[in-house]
Amino acid sequence: MAYLGTGALLIATVLAVYGTVGGVLAVRRRDGALAVSAQRAAYMTVPAMGLAVLALVIAFIDHDFSIRYVAEHSNRAMPRIYTWVAFYAGNEGSLLFVAFALAAFAGISMAMVTRRIGSQRTYANAVLMALLTFFLIVLLTLANPFEQLAVAAVDGQGINPLLKHPGMFIHPPLIMTGLISVSVPFALAMGALLSGRIDDDWVDAGRVWGLVAWAMLGTGLLLGAWWAYTILGWGGYWAWDPVENAALMPWLGLTAFIHSIMVQKRRGMFRMWNIALINISFALGNFGVFINRGGPVPSVHSFGASTLGWVFLAFLGVTLVLSFGAFFWRMGLLKSARPLESMLSREASFLVNNLLLLAIAFITMFGVVFPLIAQLFVGRELSIARPYYDAVNGPLLLALLALMGIGPLLPWRTASWAAVRKVVVVPGAAAGAVLAVLLIAGMRGVPALVGFGVSAFVAASVLQEWARGTVARSRQARVALPIAFTQLMAANRPRYGGYVVHLAIVLLAFGIVGSSFFDLEKDVVLRTGERAALGDYEVEFVRVDTTNFADRTERVATVNVYRDGQFLTSMGAWQGFYPSFQMISTRSAIRSTPKEDLYVLFSEVQSDGQSAVFRILVNPLVWWMWLSGPVLILGTVIALWPARERAMAYVPSPARRPGDPQPGGAA
Amino acid sequence: MHAARVRSSLRILGIVSVLLLGLLAAAPAQAQAPTLTPDQEARANALAKQLICPVCPGETLDQSQATIAKQMKAIIRERLAAGQSDRQIVDYFVSVYGESVLAQPPRSGFGLAAWLVPPVVVVAGLVTALVVLRNLRRGRAAATPPPAAESPEALRPYLDMVDDELARDGDEPRDGAPPVRK
C-alpha cells in the first residue's frame, strides 16, 4: 500500500507539473493542442490523487501498522467508521485530503468553465496545477502519509477521543475544502490577469466558486462552533481562538467578494477591486493554513511543533507577491466600465460592506499576531483573548448587521432620500416596536438592545422585500400569492437566495446576542440528592455510573431537572477517561429549547466519592444559532441554482458579453 | 485540531499539577469553598473571563477545564469573600504570572497599541472609501447617460419586468451587442 500510495503521488506530481508548464507554454506559443493536453493532464491528477487516497484508506482498514501514519492514528479496536476521521486526524493525512480536494475542485471547475474563455482558462488551470504541485512536493518530501516504520507496530495508538463526535465527520473536511476551494476563484482571477483578457468573463465562474467556498467555510465554522459547544465543556461556542480566527478571516474576505462581484456582474464596476479582494481572501486562507500547521501562535488547534508552518509561511509570501505582482502589472486594464452615480446607491453600500468586512478581518489578524509583535519588538508578554475581540469587533459586526438591513433596500445606481425614507418605514417601525417591548420588559444593556433592534430591522426589511415583490408579481401576473412568491424566488435567485442567507445571519445574530448578554453560569459541588438553583431551574444530582471499556472509563452523572418546583426531565452528563491519551473527554447534558438551553457539565467526582463538581449554565436563544445553519445552506443553494434557460451563466452565448440575465440582488 | 493541543496542554498540566500538589491538597473542594453573595458570584464569573489560564494559551479561566484554572477560580472566590476588590485580585494574578495572564492587553504602554490600531484601521478605511467613491463619482460626467428619471417604479426593483427595463436603458451592452433578454 505504501508503494502504491507514494507511486500515485509521484504520478500526480508529474501530471501537475506538466499541467502547469504545458499550460503556460501553450498560451505563449498559441498551441491549442498543447493547451488541450495540459488540461487533460490536469484532469488525470484526479484519479491519481484518488488512488493515493484509496491506498491510505485501505491501509487503515487493513490495520497496516507498518505505515507510521496508520499506526499513529488508528488501532484495532477502532470502529471502521472512524477511518474517515482518522484519515485527516494528523498533518500528513489532512494534507493529502487537501491536495485531493484541490485536484477535484480544479477538475470540476475547469470542466464547467467553457472553452469560450480560452487562454484565461488555460492560465487558470496552470495556476491550479502549480498550487497542486506545491502540495504534492510537500507531501512527498516533508509529510508523506505513506512513510514506513522500520519495524511494523503490533497495534496502533488509536484515534484521539476528542475527535469522536459527529461534528468531526464534517467540520474538518468542510473547513479544509473550504479553505482550498478559494483557489478556484483565485485561479480564475489570475487567469484573467495573466491572459490580459480582463473582460468580465471570469466573473460568473468566479462568483459561483466564490459562493461554493464561502458556503463550505461558513457551514464548517458553524459545525465547529456546535462541536465546541457540546464537547469542550465551557458552555460557549466561539472563543476567538487563533485557528478559529484563521478560518473566519478568509470567510470574511469571501463574504466581501461575493457581494462586490455582484456589482461587477450587474454594473461592470469594481473590476480592480474584485481581483484584489479574491487575492486577499486567498492570502487569508493561506494564512489560516499557516496558523493551523504549527505556526508560531499557540492555539487549541495546533498540531504541536512542526516545521510545516514555515513552509506554508513561505508559500503565503510567494503567492502574495506573485498575485499582487500580476495585479499591478495589469492594473491599467482594470478600469471600471462606468462611474459611480451616487453615494446613496447599492453600489456604494456594497463598498461600505466590503470595508467593514475587511476591517474585521484585518483587526482579527492583528489580534492573532499582536502578542508575537509585542514579544519580538518590546519583549513583553501580552495576551489577546476573547474580551479583546468582543470589544473591538463587536461594534463593527453590529454596524455590518445594520448595513445588511439598509443596503438591499437601496436601488442600483442612485436613490433619493425621499425614496429611501419610504422603504425604511416598515423595518424602522419593526425595530422600534421590538425596542419598546424590550424596554418595557425591563431590559437595559445598550449593546443587547441595539443588537436585537438591528436584528428586527434586518428581518423586517427582508420580509418587506419579499412581501412587496410577491404582491407586485401577483397583481401583474394575476396569480395567487403563493405562486407569485415561488415565481419571484425563481426569477432572481442570486437576490432572493441572498435574502434567505441574510435571514440566516439574523438568526445567528439573535442567538449570539441572547447567549452573550443574558447567560447565567454557576460552578457547584453537589452531594447526591442535593440541588443547585440557577435561573428558573433546579438541578439535582442523582448518581454517577461508572463503566469500564477497553480504551476508556466512562462516567455518567445523572441529574434531575426541576423548573419552579416541577420535575422536568432527567439528563445524563457524560465524561470518558482515555488512559492511552491521558485525556478526559466530556459531553455536556443539554436541554435545548428555542427560549434557552440548560447546559450541565459534569467535571469531576470529589475525593470523598459522594459529591461531584458541576458547571451549570443557562444560555438563552442558542437554539436559533443552530437553526441558521440549514437556512444558510438553503439560501446558498437558491442563489447558486442554475437558471433554467442557461445551464450556467457562463455557457457560450451569441453575444460576447450577454446582457445581464440575472439583474440585481445581494448575493 | 483542538485535540492535539488539549493533549499537549494536559501534558504540561501533569507537570504543573505535580508542582502544585501542595496547593491541590489545600483546596479539595474548590467550587464549594466560600459562599458568596449574588453580586460576588457575578464578579467571580466576570473575573474568570478576564484572566487567562497560564498553561492553556488563549483560553480564559471560564473556558478552561485545566486544574490550574479551577484553582485560580477558587482563589478568586476566596479573595472576593475576603472583601478584595477586582483590581486587587487582578493585580495579584499579574504579580504571580506576569502580564500575559490578562485576557486583554492593558490600556497603557505598548498594550495601548492594541487598542488604537482597530479604530485607526476603521477610520483610515472609511477615508479611503470616501476618496475612492468621490473619484468614482467624478468620472461620472465622462461616459454615462444621465440617470433615469426618478419615479416610484425606478425605486422598486421588485419585479423582473422593472429589472429588465433597467437592464435595457441602464445596462447598455459594452460591445454593442443587443442585450439578451431572459
Side-chain angles (χ1 to χ4, degrees), chain A residues 292-374:
Chain A
N292 214 326
R293 302 294 130 166
V297 185
S299 145
V300 225
H301 293 69
S302 301
F303 283 84
S306 141
T307 47
L308 273 181
W310 298 104
V311 176
F312 282 100
L313 184 64
F315 178 65
L316 166 68
V318 170
T319 50
L320 201 63
V321 168
L322 289 181
S323 61
F324 275 96
F327 175 74
F328 287 117
W329 174 43
R330 294 294 195 191
M331 204 157 75
L333 294 172
L334 289 168
K335 288 260 152 58
S336 265
R338 46 169 65 87
L340 187 77
E341 289 172 23
S342 163
M343 297 283 208
L344 195 63
S345 62
R346 197 176 296 174
E347 292 93 314
S349 80
F350 275 167
L351 205 61
V352 180
N353 144 307
N354 288 189
L355 167 75
L356 285 172
L357 283 162
L358 286 188
I360 298 169
F362 178 82
I363 291 169
T364 307
M365 180 149 93
F366 174 74
V368 172
V369 296
F370 180 79
L372 217 63
I373 299 174

Side-chain angles (χ1 to χ4, degrees), chain A residues 160 200 227 233-234 239 266 299-301 339-341 380-381 383 385-386 388 416 419 465 491 495 606 661, chain B residues 1-3 5 7 28 45 52 62-63 65 99-100 103 114 125 133 136 140 150 155 157-158 160 171 174 182:
Chain A
N160 191 315
D200 296 337
W227 171 79
W234 60 281
R266 168 94 172 120
S299 145
V300 225
H301 293 69
L340 187 77
E341 289 172 23
R380 280 177 67 179
E381 300 269 346
S383 310
R386 194 159 44 119
Y388 173 81
S416 71
E465 288 283 289
R495 183 207 262 169
Q606 294 275 300
Chain B
M1 317 274 1
H2 277 288
R5 189 272 193 120
R7 198 198 310 171
N45 284 336
I52 283 186
D62 71 313
Q63 285 168 286
Q65 300 297 308
E99 270 181 319
S100 63
L133 283 172
L136 276 173
R140 165 183 185 173
E150 290 237 333
L155 289 165
Y158 304 105
D160 266 5
D171 282 8
R174 257 145 274 159
K182 291 175 58 172

Side-chain angles (χ1 to χ4, degrees), chain A residues 152-400:
Chain A
V154 181
D155 196 359
Q157 296 175 2
I159 188 167
N160 191 315
L162 276 188
L163 297 176
K164 290 188 171 179
H165 180 270
M168 282 298 107
F169 280 79
I170 321 173
H171 158 72
L174 270 180
I175 295 280
M176 287 189 281
T177 43
L179 284 175
I180 199 63
S181 59
V182 187
S183 307
V184 175
F186 169 76
L188 288 164
M190 284 297 110
L193 280 183
L194 291 173
S195 64
R197 294 189 47 200
I198 325 271
D199 32 33
D200 296 337
D201 284 337
W202 76 278
V203 166
D204 288 306
R207 170 182 166 265
V208 167
W209 288 96
L211 257 175
V212 168
W214 175 87
M216 282 196 293
L217 266 181
T219 318
L221 285 169
L222 264 175
L223 278 169
W226 177 58
W227 171 79
Y229 185 63
T230 51
I231 211 165
L232 286 189
W234 60 281
Y237 39 80
W238 185 260
W240 293 103
D241 170 84
V243 169
E244 291 173 356
N245 292 343
L248 179 72
M249 287 184 286
W251 185 79
L252 292 169
L254 281 173
T255 311
F257 175 73
I258 57 178
H259 284 90
S260 143
I261 196 83
M262 287 310 297
V263 182
Q264 184 169 359
K265 191 170 152 68
R266 168 94 172 120
R267 306 272 304 141
M269 296 164 66
F270 294 2
R271 289 176 166 173
M272 264 174 23
W273 182 229
N274 284 326
I275 291 190
L277 264 183
I278 199 67
N279 281 359
I280 293 170
S281 304
F282 181 71
L284 288 171
N286 287 333
F287 181 75
V289 177
F290 161 57
I291 295 286
N292 214 326
R293 302 294 130 166
V297 185
S299 145
V300 225
H301 293 69
S302 301
F303 283 84
S306 141
T307 47
L308 273 181
W310 298 104
V311 176
F312 282 100
L313 184 64
F315 178 65
L316 166 68
V318 170
T319 50
L320 201 63
V321 168
L322 289 181
S323 61
F324 275 96
F327 175 74
F328 287 117
W329 174 43
R330 294 294 195 191
M331 204 157 75
L333 294 172
L334 289 168
K335 288 260 152 58
S336 265
R338 46 169 65 87
L340 187 77
E341 289 172 23
S342 163
M343 297 283 208
L344 195 63
S345 62
R346 197 176 296 174
E347 292 93 314
S349 80
F350 275 167
L351 205 61
V352 180
N353 144 307
N354 288 189
L355 167 75
L356 285 172
L357 283 162
L358 286 188
I360 298 169
F362 178 82
I363 291 169
T364 307
M365 180 149 93
F366 174 74
V368 172
V369 296
F370 180 79
L372 217 63
I373 299 174
Q375 200 179 20
L376 281 179
F377 296 103
V378 236
R380 280 177 67 179
E381 300 269 346
L382 296 173
S383 310
I384 285 206
R386 194 159 44 119
Y388 173 81
Y389 293 105
D390 286 348
V392 293
N393 280 343
L396 292 177
L397 287 167
L398 266 183
L400 194 63

Side-chain angles (χ1 to χ4, degrees), chain A residues 4-17 41 44-45 47-49 51 136 140:
Chain A
L4 180 65
T6 310
L9 290 179
L10 277 170
I11 293 171
T13 312
V14 172
L15 287 166
V17 170
M44 286 314 290
T45 59
M49 293 304 300
L51 194 61
L136 282 167
L140 282 170

Side-chain angles (χ1 to χ4, degrees), chain A residues 549-566:
Chain A
F549 292 86
D551 62 333
R552 64 184 187 275
T553 304
E554 275 191 15
R555 284 191 180 137
V556 180
T558 308
V559 293
N560 286 337
V561 179
Y562 301 85
R563 185 162 54 196
D564 307 325
Q566 293 277 330

Side-chain angles (χ1 to χ4, degrees), chain A residues 111-129:
Chain A
M112 284 170 74
V113 177
T114 56
R115 280 291 148 71
R116 186 170 61 99
I117 63 176
S119 60
Q120 293 183 21
R121 181 174 91 141
T122 308
Y123 269 124
N125 188 55
V127 169
L128 286 169
M129 285 304 112

Side-chain angles (χ1 to χ4, degrees), chain B residues 61-79:
Chain B
L61 294 185
D62 71 313
Q63 285 168 286
S64 173
Q65 300 297 308
T67 316
I68 192 165
K70 290 175 187 167
Q71 291 161 353
M72 285 170 73
K73 283 200 274 187
I75 295 174
I76 292 177
R77 299 176 70 87
E78 281 164 19
R79 290 182 173 248

